[in-house]
Amino acid sequence: MQIKETADEILQMNQKNMSHANDQARRSAASAQRQMYILLLAGLFVAVGFVLFIGRWILRPIHRLIRSAEEIKQGNLELVVESDSRDEIGQLSEAFNEMALALRESRRSDQTRLTRIQRATEQTFNSLPDAVAIVDPAGKVDVATETAKGVFELKPGKQIRGLTFRWMDEIFTEALKTGRTIVPGGEQRVIQHFVNGEEHYFRPEAIPIIGRDLQPTGVVLVLQDVTQEHKQRN
């Protein structure tokens, strides 16, 4: 009986120890689970902060540069990219501003040169005795001599299709379509036209302006005054 009682006591002690160890293991697991949740939450906060940091200090300047590039693409060369850092993004912003400055200076130079060429062209055109006009592919007059303006109403901005000279539209269309110089034949080879009540004769010619892609980009209408030559023949 004593041995039995002693065995029962030992069994009860083992059960108590096992129960205590089980409870301690559960408490340790619950504590570890809580610590894991805390670490995950802390990692989430750190990740969110890192993303915000990236967006503020890295991605935002890059997006600003992208918007500036789009502005330059649309022709706005007066913008200046603000840079408040000395890192690679700041250096890129400074290089971007230098590029925009070079483009502005180049555009001013091109505009000055274009204006000079345009004025020289107009002065040269005005000094020509014959009626000469440059017409764009849509049939609108770009530049014309004083004779073309006064005699044939070929004023800049005017459509030749709206004029009373049907032959002019015909040779213009043919030259633009074929890319070859068109000289009318037959009765239209020499056009009779009265200037200030006096009879004059003009020889029309349409010369296409060929661009770099070998396609016509306009037509030069030349109306040469051949009145004296026509009178001598007759």
Side-chain angles (χ1 to χ4, degrees):
M1 292 297 294
Q2 186 177 1
I3 294 172
K4 183 179 179 182
E5 290 175 359
T6 302
D8 289 339
E9 291 177 359
I10 294 172
L11 180 62
Q12 290 177 2
M13 290 176 62
N14 289 334
Q15 289 179 350
K16 288 181 180 179
N17 289 333
M18 292 177 61
S19 177
H20 179 70
N22 187 26
D23 293 339
Q24 187 176 3
R26 288 182 179 177
R27 287 194 296 272
S28 298
S31 177
Q33 188 176 13
R34 286 194 298 272
Q35 292 178 1
M36 182 182 66
Y37 288 152
I38 293 174
L39 290 176
L40 287 176
L41 186 60
L44 180 61
F45 284 129
V46 171
V48 171
F50 184 74
V51 170
L52 294 177
F53 174 79
I54 292 295
R56 179 178 178 83
W57 298 103
I58 298 179
L59 296 182
R60 185 177 298 177
I62 293 177
H63 291 162
R64 186 165 59 240
L65 287 174
I66 293 175
R67 290 193 298 269
S68 300
E70 292 294 333
E71 289 288 334
I72 287 183
K73 181 180 178 181
Q74 296 176 2
N76 182 15
L77 300 180
E78 302 300 329
L79 58 87
V80 176
V81 180
E82 298 181 0
S83 176
D84 52 0
S85 62
R86 295 296 179 182
D87 55 5
E88 288 78 4
I89 299 297
Q91 295 177 3
L92 182 61
S93 300
E94 292 178 359
F96 194 91
N97 290 332
E98 292 177 359
M99 180 191 68
L101 177 60
L103 290 176
R104 287 196 297 269
E105 293 177 353
S106 177
R107 184 170 67 177
R108 293 192 189 99
S109 177
D110 291 341
Q111 289 177 347
T112 302
R113 184 166 58 89
L114 182 61
T115 302
R116 184 173 62 252
I117 293 175
Q118 184 178 2
R119 290 179 179 176
T121 302
E122 291 177 353
Q123 293 177 359
T124 303
F125 259 65
N126 291 332
S127 64
L128 294 177
D130 295 327
V132 182
I134 298 178
V135 187
D136 67 6
K140 184 176 67 175
V141 178
D142 285 336
V143 186
T145 62
E146 293 298 328
T147 304
K149 297 176 185 177
V151 177
F152 294 97
E153 301 179 1
L154 291 172
K155 299 179 181 179
K158 200 165 187 178
Q159 290 284 342
I160 63 173
R161 292 182 176 88
L163 302 177
T164 57
F165 310 106
R166 184 177 178 181
W167 51 269
M168 189 180 298
D169 185 26
E170 292 177 352
I171 63 174
F172 162 77
T173 303
E174 186 68 18
L176 192 65
K177 180 179 179 181
T178 62
R180 295 183 292 104
T181 300
I182 302 301
V183 178
E187 296 180 355
Q188 292 184 348
R189 184 173 181 83
V190 177
I191 304 299
Q192 181 188 29
H193 190 69
F194 287 89
V195 181
N196 297 327
E198 296 182 0
E199 185 182 34
H200 284 259
Y201 293 89
F202 295 88
R203 180 182 295 120
E205 185 178 9
I207 306 171
I209 303 173
I210 306 300
R212 294 182 178 179
D213 55 353
L214 301 181
Q215 296 297 324
T217 59
V219 174
V220 178
L221 292 177
V222 180
L223 304 169
Q224 185 180 6
D225 192 341
V226 292
T227 303
Q228 296 298 330
E229 179 182 346
H230 187 270
K231 291 181 178 180
Q232 290 176 0
R233 289 182 179 180
N234 295 332

